[in-house]
Amino acid sequence: MSLTLRTISREQHLAYIQNLPAASHCQVPAWADVKTEWRSENLGWFDRNGELVGVGLVLYRQLPKIKRYLAYLPEGPVINWYAPNLEDWLQPMLAHLKQQGAFSVKMGPPVIIRRWDAPAIKAGIQDPDVKRLRDVEATHIEPRAFEVADRLRKMGWQQGEDGGAGFGDVQPRYVYQVPLANRSLEEVHKGFNQLWRRNIKKADKAGVEVVQGSYEDLAEWQRLYEITAERDKFRPRPLGYFQRMWTALNSEDPNRMRLYFARHNGVNLSAATMLVVGGHVWYSYGASDNIGREVRPSNAMQWRMLRDAYALGATVYDLRGISDSLDENDHLFGLIQFKVGTGGQAAEYLGEWDFPLNKLLHKALDMYMSRR
């Protein structure tokens, strides 16, 4: 199958994505408007009949002082990753990006390699010898994903460093997902652990209400988010980022981004943003106050978001990044503990891969990044 690659319009790119069952929110054209510090380009792969068969959103970041770029395809490109002729997809892309002045290419194949269901993770947490998720036997392994990794290595791609829990600009390698396809809401609720079910009930009894917010409520979101950042010791994104995200994503599709608040006696206690692309729904950012935890606002909010995702016809509710640490003393352990309670599954992606087009500049960038 001979493939040609060329720049396409945003409209072509969006139309292609809209015909798919799902794609990453980092690969919709509007994501480029969220990431304003990067230049962007929409790529299209065409078969010999001139039919569009794959797309990719490329973000270019310029190196300080010289006109050379890091080309990044977050959670993309959106191609047939299991194609036996993967080279025919990726070689034209590399040639094109090199022409555009890229010295290095980073991509994140949206390919899941392993899954662990909740009981397997719980057993791992209880085992004192187990410190990491990868030490636990996977419940499901995707053999084709290992073939993809082999093909990439043979082509000269290098596996990047682990992206931790997906904080900053690197996409998470480990995520937590609740599958919704072919399940009733009752089954999903039954899959929650006792603590989650009890907390949802508790919030309901206490009169916690979960409401959807609008653009005007982003300032209130920011207030809760900054409280969270201070408590969890991370650097918060500015309000402008979320305003831009809302405007960009919802002008592309009015249902792309949602905002939720859980409130008690008129006071907002927790908040979350939700992203929707086809059948894939993500809980993307979460925030909560230091007060009101006893009425369990976060559990109530997640249950409402999950039900809304289900009503939208979602096949998966994605709780996004987790760390792979199962050590109770790890500061990120609480994150996986909270998410495991939903009874879903942890999934490991192939991770991010780099192709140095200019080895010298690639190495210089590596050194620069490690010093930051």
Side-chain angles (χ1 to χ4, degrees):
M1 170 177 167
S2 70
L3 293 163
T4 51
L5 177 130
R6 61 174 180 267
T7 304
I8 56 172
S9 70
R10 288 178 65 138
E11 291 70 32
Q12 283 172 292
H13 184 150
L14 182 60
Y16 183 81
I17 295 268
Q18 281 170 329
N19 281 322
L20 296 177
S24 168
H25 62 271
C26 302
Q27 281 293 307
V28 299
W31 193 247
D33 302 330
V34 179
K35 297 290 173 187
T36 47
E37 67 277 30
W38 302 69
R39 177 168 72 83
S40 69
E41 185 184 18
N42 306 80
L43 297 182
W45 280 259
F46 293 85
D47 65 14
R48 54 162 61 106
N49 303 321
E51 178 117 7
L52 184 61
V53 289
V55 296
L57 174 69
V58 189
L59 302 173
Y60 293 97
R61 178 161 277 175
Q62 192 174 343
L63 269 185
K65 300 191 181 57
I66 53 171
K67 270 226 172 334
R68 299 303 289 277
Y69 302 87
L70 166 68
Y72 182 33
L73 294 98
E75 296 185 9
V78 185
I79 59 173
N80 176 10
W81 283 96
Y82 299 122
N85 61 330
L86 196 55
E87 299 82 0
D88 297 354
W89 291 82
L90 297 178
Q91 289 315 118
M93 179 181 89
L94 288 174
H96 173 85
L97 297 174
K98 191 172 187 171
Q99 242 179 340
Q100 296 290 310
F103 67 89
S104 186
V105 181
K106 184 185 275 296
M107 64 176 183
V111 173
I112 287 176
I113 195 160
R114 279 184 274 256
R115 292 182 187 275
W116 294 264
D117 61 20
I121 300 167
K122 278 180 203 149
I125 291 170
Q126 281 153 10
D127 184 340
D129 294 333
V130 169
K131 289 286 178 254
R132 303 207 158 270
L133 193 53
R134 66 187 80 158
D135 301 336
V136 178
E137 195 180 338
T139 319
H140 176 77
I141 286 180
E142 176 51 80
R144 294 184 308 167
F146 289 93
E147 288 169 28
V148 174
D150 282 345
R151 285 191 190 122
L152 291 175
R153 274 190 208 99
K154 283 197 180 98
M155 277 183 252
W157 287 85
Q158 301 167 359
Q159 198 155 18
E161 290 303 305
D162 265 5
F167 304 112
D169 269 335
V170 180
Q171 301 307 320
R173 177 152 183 189
Y174 296 89
V175 300
Y176 207 86
Q177 301 178 336
V178 181
L180 300 178
N182 309 316
R183 294 175 79 194
S184 69
L185 267 179
E186 289 71 43
E187 286 173 298
V188 174
H189 187 264
K190 268 200 196 107
F192 286 172
N193 69 12
Q194 264 179 320
L195 185 64
W196 261 82
R197 292 203 299 267
R198 212 167 43 233
N199 286 346
I200 290 167
K201 216 179 199 159
K202 201 172 190 173
D204 193 38
K205 253 201 175 118
V208 171
E209 54 167 349
V210 180
V211 295
Q212 260 185 267
S214 65
Y215 179 86
E216 284 68 41
D217 299 307
L218 286 169
E220 172 64 358
W221 146 265
Q222 192 71 16
R223 179 184 74 82
L224 291 167
Y225 174 62
E226 285 178 12
I227 291 172
T228 310
E230 196 172 324
R231 183 178 66 235
D232 295 348
K233 300 181 179 47
F234 65 86
R235 208 170 82 213
R237 291 190 182 274
L239 173 60
Y241 181 82
F242 294 102
Q243 290 173 327
R244 192 163 71 235
M245 199 170 163
W246 183 279
T247 308
L249 296 178
N250 287 337
S251 58
E252 177 173 277
D253 179 331
N255 224 1
R256 188 77 83 223
M257 180 175 175
R258 291 181 174 197
L259 177 62
Y260 286 85
F261 291 98
R263 56 172 65 145
H264 186 241
N265 296 334
V267 179
N268 292 317
L269 297 176
S270 60
T273 60
M274 181 164 116
L275 300 176
V276 182
V277 183
H280 203 129
V281 171
W282 293 263
Y283 151 56
S284 76
Y285 284 89
S288 61
D289 206 330
N290 297 327
I291 58 164
R293 296 188 152 202
E294 67 286 347
V295 295
R296 306 297 178 213
S298 294
N299 300 88
M301 186 173 63
Q302 288 295 343
W303 177 228
R304 161 74 192 273
M305 288 164 71
L306 215 151
R307 293 199 317 268
D308 284 3
Y310 191 89
L312 287 168
T315 53
V316 63
Y317 180 70
D318 196 323
L319 290 137
R320 282 298 271 173
I322 50 171
S323 140
D324 89 323
S325 172
L326 298 182
D327 179 358
E328 298 191 5
N329 302 314
D330 190 304
H331 73 290
L332 291 170
F333 175 74
L335 201 61
I336 190 166
Q337 203 176 25
F338 178 74
K339 294 176 181 183
V340 166
T342 61
Q345 23 179 245
E348 179 190 0
Y349 280 92
L350 265 189
E352 298 202 312
W353 293 69
D354 298 303
F355 196 99
L357 291 165
N358 178 320
K359 292 195 168 66
L360 201 69
L361 285 176
H362 178 82
K363 206 173 165 89
L365 178 81
D366 262 3
M367 285 165 68
Y368 168 72
M369 293 308 276
S370 65
R371 281 205 307 267
R372 281 176 66 182

